[in-house]
Amino acid sequence: AQKVTQTQTSISVMEKTTVTMDCVYETQDSSYFLFWYKQTASGEIVFLIRQDSYKKENATVGHYSLNFQKPKSSIGLIITATQIEDSAVYFCAMRELNMGYKLTFGTGTSLLVDP
Amino acid sequence: EAAVTQSPRNKVAVTGGKVTLSCNQTNNHNNMYWYRQDTGHGLRLIHYSYGAGSTEKGDIPDGYKASRPSQENFSLILELATPSQTSVYFCASGDPGQGAGNTLYFGEGSRLIVV
């Protein structure tokens, strides 16, 4: 069964610094997709970035990037030059190719960016 | 812009009563999902669907039914609501055919309180 674990409950950083959020996953599937989603204070949940298991290059979108360590079953989210508006809850998620389109989420990490 | 809308946004129900949460998407996505969000548990998958007429059980389907009468609409039904079903419910749509690994688009959430 697929499982996604986020051990960091909350993180606090100063604005304009870099933060890394951890996520580890369990899968028996050789092909899978990893995602990060952001939930703002209003409750809105939006997709941020995705990593396909067969790709060796780490995905990057804007000031979000991933640290994909396949041997460790780890997919960290890196936010550089953090802004106040990055304060939110961040969810890691996984879809296994053999599980159809079922998407399993972690418990989330709350990020607070202080001015 | 992709759009997923949920109704009602807020609902107070009595124990033993029937509750229907509705979701409509204008994305023309094949896949639709119902998650619930509770503190400490993140987003947990209740039911999902691959298209009109199809429903699949997620990780926590007990006490819930789902209905997908059309491509656009996906409902979550609580036949006999219990206080343990007090939660925030999110609907989402996704389409793997767009080559995005099934990125999900979420609705605004429906807050349900069962008294």
Side-chain angles (χ1 to χ4, degrees):
Chain A
Q2 52 187 345
K3 184 177 179 181
V4 178
T5 302
Q6 296 178 255
T7 56
Q8 300 160 304
T9 304
S10 63
I11 301 175
S12 181
V13 301
M14 298 301 294
E15 191 179 14
K16 301 179 183 177
T17 60
T18 295
V19 63
T20 298
M21 282 174 269
D22 301 328
C23 176
V24 293
Y25 55 91
E26 296 177 21
T27 179
Q28 304 299 318
D29 205 333
S30 59
S31 296
Y32 48 92
F33 303 89
L34 300 163
F35 304 81
W36 282 89
Y37 284 80
K38 172 185 179 181
Q39 184 176 33
T40 62
S42 68
E44 181 185 20
I45 302 173
V46 295
F47 163 73
L48 290 179
I49 191 169
R50 160 184 150 220
Q51 180 79 39
D52 299 346
S53 63
Y54 61 88
K55 293 185 177 179
K56 293 185 177 181
E57 281 189 12
N58 289 321
T60 298
V61 176
H63 74 144
Y64 301 106
S65 61
L66 297 178
N67 180 18
F68 180 40
Q69 299 184 59
K70 196 170 183 178
K72 295 183 178 181
S73 297
S74 171
I75 184 73
L77 174 68
I78 303 167
I79 307 177
T80 57
T82 52
Q83 304 161 11
I84 302 297
E85 51 267 34
D86 290 324
S87 296
V89 177
Y90 292 82
F91 291 99
C92 177
M94 176 174 68
R95 174 172 91 85
E96 296 174 299
L97 195 61
N98 287 337
M99 291 297 291
Y101 298 104
K102 179 182 176 183
L103 193 66
T104 298
F105 284 80
T107 52
T109 297
S110 178
L111 174 66
L112 178 63
V113 181
D114 291 316
Chain B
E1 183 71 25
V4 179
T5 55
Q6 298 180 222
S7 64
R9 296 291 310 280
N10 293 281
K11 172 78 175 178
V12 178
V14 295
T15 297
K18 181 177 181 179
V19 176
T20 300
L21 303 179
S22 300
C23 179
N24 176 273
Q25 55 111 350
T26 58
N27 307 325
N28 197 31
H29 287 164
N30 290 332
N31 301 336
M32 296 187 74
Y33 304 77
W34 276 107
Y35 288 89
R36 64 177 282 177
Q37 183 176 24
D38 305 283
T39 303
H41 291 279
L43 292 161
R44 293 183 290 174
L45 182 63
I46 306 170
H47 285 288
Y48 58 111
S49 168
Y50 291 143
S54 106
T55 60
E56 304 287 336
K57 293 181 179 180
D59 296 319
I60 53 165
D62 293 345
Y64 302 94
K65 292 183 179 179
S67 174
R68 182 84 181 271
S70 65
Q71 177 83 338
E72 299 79 17
N73 296 294
F74 190 38
S75 297
L76 185 68
I77 304 156
L78 290 66
E79 295 277 4
L80 295 170
T82 70
S84 65
Q85 294 175 312
T86 293
S87 187
V88 180
Y89 293 85
F90 285 93
C91 176
S93 74
D95 191 345
Q98 295 182 0
N102 201 41
T103 299
L104 298 192
Y105 297 85
F106 283 84
E108 319 95 318
S110 295
R111 183 176 298 275
L112 173 65
I113 298 173
V114 182
V115 298

